Amino acid sequence: MKLDSKIPSGPLANKWSKHKQESMLVNPANKRKFRVIVVGTGLAGSSAAASLSELGYNVDAFCFQDSPRRAHSIAAQGGINAAKNYQNDGDSVHRLFYDTIKGGDFRAREANVHRLAEVSTSIIDQCTAQGVPFARDYGGLLSNRSFGGAQVSRTFYARGQTGQQLLIGAYQALSRQIYSGNVNMHARHEMLELVVVDGHARGIVTRNLVDGRIEAFAADAVVLATGGYGNVFYLSTNAKGCNVTANIRAFRKGAAFANPCYTQIHPTCIPVSGDYQSKLTLMSESLRNDGRVWVPKKKEDLSKNPASIAEADRDYYLERKYPSYGNLCPRDIASRAAKQVCDEGRGIGPAGRGVYLDFADAISRFGKKVIAERYGNLFDMYATITGEDPYEVPMRIYPAVHYSMGGLWVDYNLMSNLPGLHVIGEANFSDHGANRLGASALMQGLADGYFVLPYTIGHYLATAKQPKVSTEHPEFKKALADAEARLKKLLSLKGKRTPDSFHRELGLLMWNKCGMARNARGLKELLQEIPALRERFWRELVIRGDAASMNVDLEKAGRVADFMEFSELLVRDALDRDESCGGHFREEHQTEEGEAKRNDAEFLHVSAWEYQGEGQAPLRHKEPLNYEEIKLQTRSYK
Amino acid sequence: MSAHNEKPMKLKLHVWRQRSPQQPGEMKEYALDNVDAHMSFLEMMDVLNEQLANNGEEPVAFDHDCREGICGMCSMVINGQPHGGHKGVTTCQLHMRHFSDGDDIYVEPWRAKAFPVLRDLVVDRSSLDRIIQAGGYVSVNTGGTPDANALPIPKTEADQAMDAAACIGCGACVAACKNSSAMLFMSAKVSHLGHLPQGQAERYSRVKAMVQQMDAEGFGNCSNLSQCEAACPKEISSKVIAELNRDFLKGSWRGE
């Protein structure tokens, strides 16, 4: 496999404009001769499908939800970064670029990140023109807030629903194109196979989730905008339907999977309350401005009413360990510290997996009213879910899986090593390195969909010169047969266990040995345990109902089967990356103070894994990361 | 497991089961023990489904995704009320502590002509998408837009646009209305765009196109009873309906 990142030559700041100049174009009359498949309708997928259709391409768009507006981008709360420098506080494209590279612990490509920072400003213009109701100041201009990892205010927001408003903007643009007839929208369709003809991605096979019909769709290019794989841990902040199926199907057809071990654990989520738990809910990072994080010093205090525990018997461990950043230290560090005190047996709440986030000091200093103005909606959400009043008792929080920095490998054109297969948004690996900064996921999704892919896919279509294919081609017939055989095999199993029960078991294995902290011994054990679990899955599973109608357990079973396969790849990558960086913490590699210790001499590269066939270990390729602009440093938050 | 002090509850569930749009459906009874007060309503349904599957029965199909009250996918009428009738709460955020040991709970799908049942509690809401497709947007293409701060928008206007834009498109308003009208859903979009300068160019044509689409989909007329507002999990005010009516009338005077 040849991994050519196709990064343009020349000075960093000129690369994107030079690349656009040198890219081939498709003339307007010819665009309508091309058809593009877009899978997924989150920020990346909706914005790409709408923009491609506006240009004149024919688009087939797919989502598994009942409407494109439901994709999980909608749940993003905080905001979207852009280097507008509206606050006159010294922001610039270069500063956003630098913060993103450093935040990613120097494991992202310079050229991609610089382009992201460059187009960030156009995103805000575009969304405003669509009618996205961003927060404004009294003078009528746009308002900004600050986010982690930056010393400027560059985050644009729409109350606590920024993701929702940006997605509705993209959804409306997509709706307009559906109305024009240029986009065929296929909701409640799940992609089951990628079809590759003569080495080029030319179509997909889907299952209609309403009536079970298996269908094939042919096109001139395929775009995957299928999100992250956080649900491999079962419990995460992802939506229930988020899955890795499209990406793992593409991997099996030859697309390289890059850095699967990079997963982000967010420190402030509402903890697990019981075995029935189905997902975890995020509490905004902003709460740590006024909340103090602590656990009891003594184990015998764990079951006491927290208010009755004396100040001297509390351990404000973040303030103790990181005096200069205190409760506002970065996500990965806060998460690991919480795990540590819980591992010591000092975690609070059910199962001992939780720490207090206490507002008592802030309430006595500012009054309840001020705190309600700042965080009222979050306090209400917490009270709705837990039944506890955070104005009276401290919140209980614990870290949870949140975002996938890894994904399918793409070059500068957002095309995978499989010609024609483009991957955008969270589904690709390209921009966040080993750790993503807050408010950068929305930026990347929309950058890819509105302002990068529409240029780069044109170059591919203009130069690929592939003959038209129809779904009558033998490769389509074969992919259809493969998808059907797989469903049939799942339905033929006559065991006793449901897909959910296996998913929970896999998630627990992954969380315990490949979660916030990892070590070689645990990872090696997982490489035995996952195949054993997978073998049991394919023996002990049972699915009620049939394939010819809506069957929720069949949908789940297919996704769990793919997670069973993907989890092994993730673990393999975590074992192979024998260093700590960003969200990937190998216990063997830490400083004396317990901080992540990078190894630039050996691991300054992207790991891209190539499928080698059923039952075969995948092959790891390296794409070296060349830093021309930035000097490598050690992050410190003491 | 119940790690809490509350005693687990026993419930009797009455759930709408329907195999397909063509076949008739019926209410079926299921007994569920060991319901934890800290479960969400959907987690309680997960437990029911696990129990059904273990007994060799098909699980209850229901729509859900984000489980944090924002995607708008979950859609159950609980004891006669969309999302269970608690103020500002979607089904996924409703927790079992609002119920008591021994309760009978009735779970049904959204019921409206424009929302045909697909299976059990799952309905087809694509009619709402088609209302948006008819005109619920600002017609701008990607690129070539002016600087975002070129046009100041008074904060009060922007805030009102955001109030309406908070709609999650779940359809509870339709399920609550005795006429199965989609007026609150549609008016929320009209109000959102109508409060912004970017929405002015198509202000009147948008209203007309969306109203025509709503009628074509088989939604009823506004009942003027504001049940929609009471059922809305995002607490969108029915004043947006007045805004739509005003724009509709003004548009017809202008001949648009």
Side-chain angles (χ1 to χ4, degrees):
Chain A
M1 181 187 290
K2 195 168 150 282
L3 295 176
D4 178 1
S5 60
K6 301 207 178 78
I7 294 171
S9 59
L12 184 65
N14 299 345
K15 283 181 195 287
W16 178 229
S17 35
K18 175 169 174 274
H19 190 68
K20 281 192 286 186
Q21 278 302 316
E22 291 170 358
S23 292
M24 299 288 282
L25 298 173
V26 180
N27 92 45
N30 284 341
K31 285 197 178 91
R32 72 176 84 98
K33 295 177 188 162
F34 289 109
R35 179 165 293 279
V36 179
I37 283 171
V38 180
V39 187
T41 58
L43 286 179
S46 283
S47 58
S51 303
L52 293 174
S53 170
E54 288 161 8
L55 287 171
Y57 297 112
N58 299 290
V59 176
D60 276 293
F62 298 82
C63 68
F64 69 77
Q65 299 92 341
D66 76 323
S67 161
R69 67 180 291 156
R70 314 262 188 235
H72 199 52
S73 304
I74 206 154
Q77 299 168 355
I80 176 165
N81 288 329
K84 277 288 198 186
N85 193 30
Y86 281 163
Q87 306 303 322
N88 195 30
D89 58 359
D91 199 11
S92 64
V93 165
H94 191 272
R95 198 176 289 276
L96 174 55
F97 152 73
Y98 181 78
D99 287 347
T100 307
I101 289 275
K102 184 185 169 195
D105 215 354
F106 305 93
R107 288 292 177 269
R109 268 191 208 138
E110 277 189 338
N112 286 57
V113 178
H114 197 276
R115 175 176 65 191
L116 176 67
E118 271 176 85
V119 303
S120 68
T121 56
S122 304
I123 296 171
I124 304 303
D125 300 340
Q126 181 66 34
C127 296
T128 301
Q130 289 170 344
V132 169
F134 284 122
R136 286 173 185 271
D137 295 326
Y138 283 99
L141 301 183
L142 292 170
S143 177
N144 289 118
R145 50 168 66 142
S146 305
F147 248 70
Q151 291 170 309
V152 295
S153 276
R154 64 160 75 100
T155 305
F156 295 79
Y157 62 101
R159 294 194 187 147
Q161 294 121 282
T162 317
Q164 180 199 25
Q165 293 310 314
L166 296 176
L167 182 61
I168 295 299
Y171 159 77
Q172 287 172 189
L174 175 61
S175 294
R176 176 170 161 248
Q177 295 306 309
I178 295 170
Y179 195 69
S180 78
N182 241 9
V183 176
N184 295 324
M185 183 67 226
H186 309 269
R188 293 196 195 270
H189 276 65
E190 179 151 69
M191 172 178 157
L192 297 182
E193 287 291 346
L194 177 74
V195 183
V196 180
V197 178
D198 299 331
H200 289 248
R202 297 305 300 271
I204 61 171
V205 170
T206 63
R207 179 167 182 269
N208 179 326
L209 301 182
V210 176
D211 59 18
R213 237 175 329 141
I214 310 287
E215 291 165 273
F217 295 86
D220 299 286
V222 176
V223 180
L224 297 186
T226 41
Y229 45 78
N231 276 349
V232 70
F233 294 90
Y234 186 71
L235 288 179
S236 79
T237 65
N238 288 190
K240 290 299 286 177
C242 294
N243 66 75
V244 76
T245 291
N247 294 13
I248 206 79
R249 299 281 112 201
F251 169 70
R252 288 174 68 103
K253 288 285 166 76
F257 212 116
N259 300 334
C261 78
Y262 292 164
T263 47
Q264 181 166 75
I265 318 276
H266 198 293
T268 52
C269 298
I270 299 176
V272 175
S273 66
D275 290 345
Y276 51 78
Q277 188 94 25
S278 62
K279 79 152 277 159
L280 297 169
T281 303
L282 190 75
M283 289 272 101
S284 170
E285 188 167 87
S286 63
L287 290 167
R288 285 194 280 145
N289 279 292
D290 285 307
R292 297 180 72 193
V293 179
W294 65 278
V295 289
K297 282 184 182 164
K298 295 182 287 192
K299 289 182 188 172
E300 55 267 33
D301 285 347
L302 289 176
S303 53
K304 283 189 186 162
N305 173 1
S308 73
I309 300 173
E311 197 64 21
D313 292 329
R314 300 175 176 195
D315 181 10
Y316 295 92
Y317 59 88
L318 290 178
E319 298 170 30
R320 172 171 60 80
K321 291 167 80 170
Y322 308 102
S324 60
Y325 278 72
N327 293 297
L328 269 176
C329 67
R331 286 177 181 179
D332 47 349
I333 293 189
S335 292
R336 281 196 283 274
K339 178 180 187 292
Q340 212 169 45
V341 293
C342 293
D343 287 348
E344 289 166 12
R346 294 192 290 136
I348 49 92
R353 304 313 290 185
V355 300
Y356 290 124
L357 179 60
D358 198 338
F359 293 86
D361 281 359
I363 290 172
S364 67
R365 195 171 344 127
F366 303 113
K368 189 175 165 181
K369 190 163 167 276
V370 172
I371 296 301
E373 275 168 15
R374 287 183 191 169
Y375 310 112
N377 60 334
L378 294 165
F379 276 43
D380 291 348
M381 187 150 113
Y382 182 86
T384 303
I385 292 171
T386 63
E388 294 171 0
D389 178 3
Y391 293 103
E392 300 297 329
V393 294
M395 284 185 180
R396 291 177 294 110
I397 53 155
Y398 197 67
V401 174
H402 184 53
Y403 186 85
S404 314
M405 281 78 69
L408 291 176
W409 184 89
V410 288
D411 62 16
Y412 190 70
N413 293 317
L414 303 181
M415 188 162 85
S416 82
N417 56 302
L418 266 183
L421 180 69
H422 295 73
V423 191
I424 58 178
E426 191 179 354
N428 75 26
F429 87 104
S430 73
D431 293 357
H432 305 296
N435 177 55
R436 179 178 64 74
L437 288 183
S440 284
L442 304 185
M443 172 173 66
Q444 188 221 335
L446 290 182
D448 288 1
Y450 283 134
F451 296 111
V452 180
L453 185 79
Y455 289 92
T456 59
I457 205 170
H459 179 77
Y460 169 75
L461 293 169
T463 54
K465 307 276 185 235
Q466 291 296 301
K468 293 287 170 194
V469 292
S470 82
T471 53
E472 295 304 310
H473 189 282
E475 285 297 335
F476 279 87
K477 297 283 177 209
K478 185 176 175 301
L480 277 165
D482 287 349
E484 275 168 13
R486 195 174 146 83
L487 293 174
K488 208 169 157 193
K489 189 175 170 199
L490 284 167
L491 281 163
S492 73
L493 300 172
K494 292 282 174 272
K496 287 197 166 119
R497 288 184 60 183
T498 60
D500 266 347
S501 77
F502 279 107
H503 196 175
R504 280 176 200 273
E505 195 175 339
L506 174 69
L508 203 60
L509 276 180
M510 291 295 288
W511 179 241
N512 286 340
K513 293 182 182 172
C514 195
M516 272 185 281
R518 302 151 176 189
N519 60 52
R521 192 171 53 105
L523 294 169
K524 282 177 185 158
E525 284 166 9
L526 278 179
L527 290 179
Q528 304 293 319
E529 289 162 344
I530 292 169
L533 181 63
R534 189 165 58 221
E535 192 268 329
R536 274 171 36 226
F537 172 87
W538 284 104
R539 197 154 36 87
E540 296 172 13
L541 185 76
V542 66
I543 298 167
R544 310 296 172 189
D546 54 44
S549 60
M550 185 177 284
N551 188 333
V552 286
D553 269 3
L554 183 60
E555 294 165 28
K556 284 181 191 167
R559 294 169 191 167
V560 175
D562 288 327
F563 278 130
M564 289 274 178
E565 199 170 320
F566 171 71
S567 55
E568 196 179 331
L569 182 68
L570 195 162
V571 170
R572 222 173 262 285
D573 187 45
L575 184 62
D576 181 73
R577 187 165 285 277
D578 199 9
E579 66 159 352
S580 295
C581 59
H584 171 64
F585 189 72
R586 283 286 298 268
E587 287 169 338
E588 303 94 320
H589 304 288
Q590 46 184 310
T591 63
E592 278 177 23
E593 296 89 22
E595 308 300 342
K597 203 165 151 191
R598 268 191 354 246
N599 178 351
D600 292 334
E602 286 181 78
F603 292 97
L604 191 59
H605 61 79
V606 174
S607 298
W609 296 83
E610 182 187 9
Y611 183 68
Q612 297 288 297
E614 199 76 54
Q616 305 290 314
L619 192 63
R620 198 251 300 105
H621 301 269
K622 290 181 188 176
E623 180 207 328
L625 289 167
N626 300 316
Y627 281 83
E628 296 168 1
E629 188 86 7
I630 276 182
K631 277 207 183 79
L632 298 168
Q633 291 175 350
T634 303
R635 293 157 85 216
S636 167
Y637 299 96
K638 281 274 169 190
Chain B
M1 178 197 88
S2 174
H4 319 283
N5 300 325
E6 294 95 339
K7 224 180 87 196
M9 293 182 278
K10 286 187 166 63
L11 299 173
K12 195 191 271 179
L13 297 170
H14 307 260
V15 183
W16 183 259
R17 303 302 309 259
Q18 182 173 343
R19 278 198 62 86
S20 71
Q22 292 78 31
Q23 287 163 282
E26 59 176 337
M27 297 298 285
K28 281 213 167 172
E29 263 183 50
Y30 304 103
L32 201 57
D33 301 342
N34 262 323
V35 175
D36 189 300
H38 285 271
M39 285 178 181
S40 70
F41 199 87
L42 296 185
E43 285 166 348
M44 183 274 293
M45 294 297 292
D46 291 341
V47 173
L48 171 67
N49 275 345
E50 192 77 15
Q51 179 179 309
L52 289 175
N54 288 334
N55 293 339
E57 295 175 63
E58 288 185 48
V60 180
F62 59 89
D63 268 334
H64 66 105
D65 202 25
C66 79
R67 296 203 177 192
E68 48 188 283
I70 193 75
C71 77
M73 196 139 172
C74 62
S75 45
M76 294 181 188
V77 174
I78 300 162
N79 290 336
Q81 305 223 53
H83 294 306
H86 291 264
K87 198 171 155 58
V89 169
T90 52
T91 300
C92 65
Q93 291 205 306
L94 176 64
H95 280 68
M96 296 313 293
R97 70 182 75 92
H98 296 292
F99 299 88
S100 309
D101 189 34
D103 273 1
D104 280 69
I105 302 178
Y106 292 80
V107 191
E108 297 169 80
W110 284 176
R111 295 202 189 274
K113 184 180 164 196
F115 290 165
V117 172
L118 296 175
R119 181 170 189 143
D120 299 336
L121 305 172
V122 177
V123 300
D124 179 353
R125 284 171 288 188
S126 54
S127 47
L128 296 183
D129 286 325
R130 288 189 291 273
I131 291 177
I132 298 296
Q133 287 158 20
Y137 38 74
V138 176
S139 296
V140 288
N141 283 356
T142 301
T145 52
D147 185 88
N149 260 353
L151 194 58
I153 302 174
K155 187 175 187 313
T156 47
E157 287 294 311
D159 284 348
Q160 287 181 68
M162 181 62 217
D163 288 343
C167 170
I168 57 173
C170 64
C173 47
V174 177
C177 178
K178 68 174 184 176
N179 290 353
S180 300
S181 174
M183 275 296 266
L184 189 69
F185 167 80
M186 183 172 60
S187 305
K189 187 48 59 195
V190 166
S191 173
H192 161 205
L193 299 175
H195 277 285
L196 297 172
Q198 290 85 359
Q200 298 309 308
E202 299 160 287
R203 181 167 182 168
Y204 302 107
S205 57
R206 172 185 309 122
V207 174
K208 192 174 164 193
M210 291 176 78
V211 168
Q212 279 174 349
Q213 190 64 37
M214 180 183 90
D215 290 343
E217 295 290 347
F219 292 101
N221 290 324
C222 183
S223 70
N224 294 312
L225 293 175
S226 293
Q227 288 143 315
C228 50
E229 180 182 313
C232 177
K234 296 297 147 186
E235 303 179 67
I236 289 172
S237 164
S238 53
K239 83 172 172 55
V240 297
I241 297 178
E243 292 178 24
L244 177 140
N245 285 331
R246 181 195 60 197
D247 281 1
F248 187 79
L249 205 60
K250 223 170 155 183
S252 20
W253 288 338
R254 292 160 59 109
E256 286 189 37

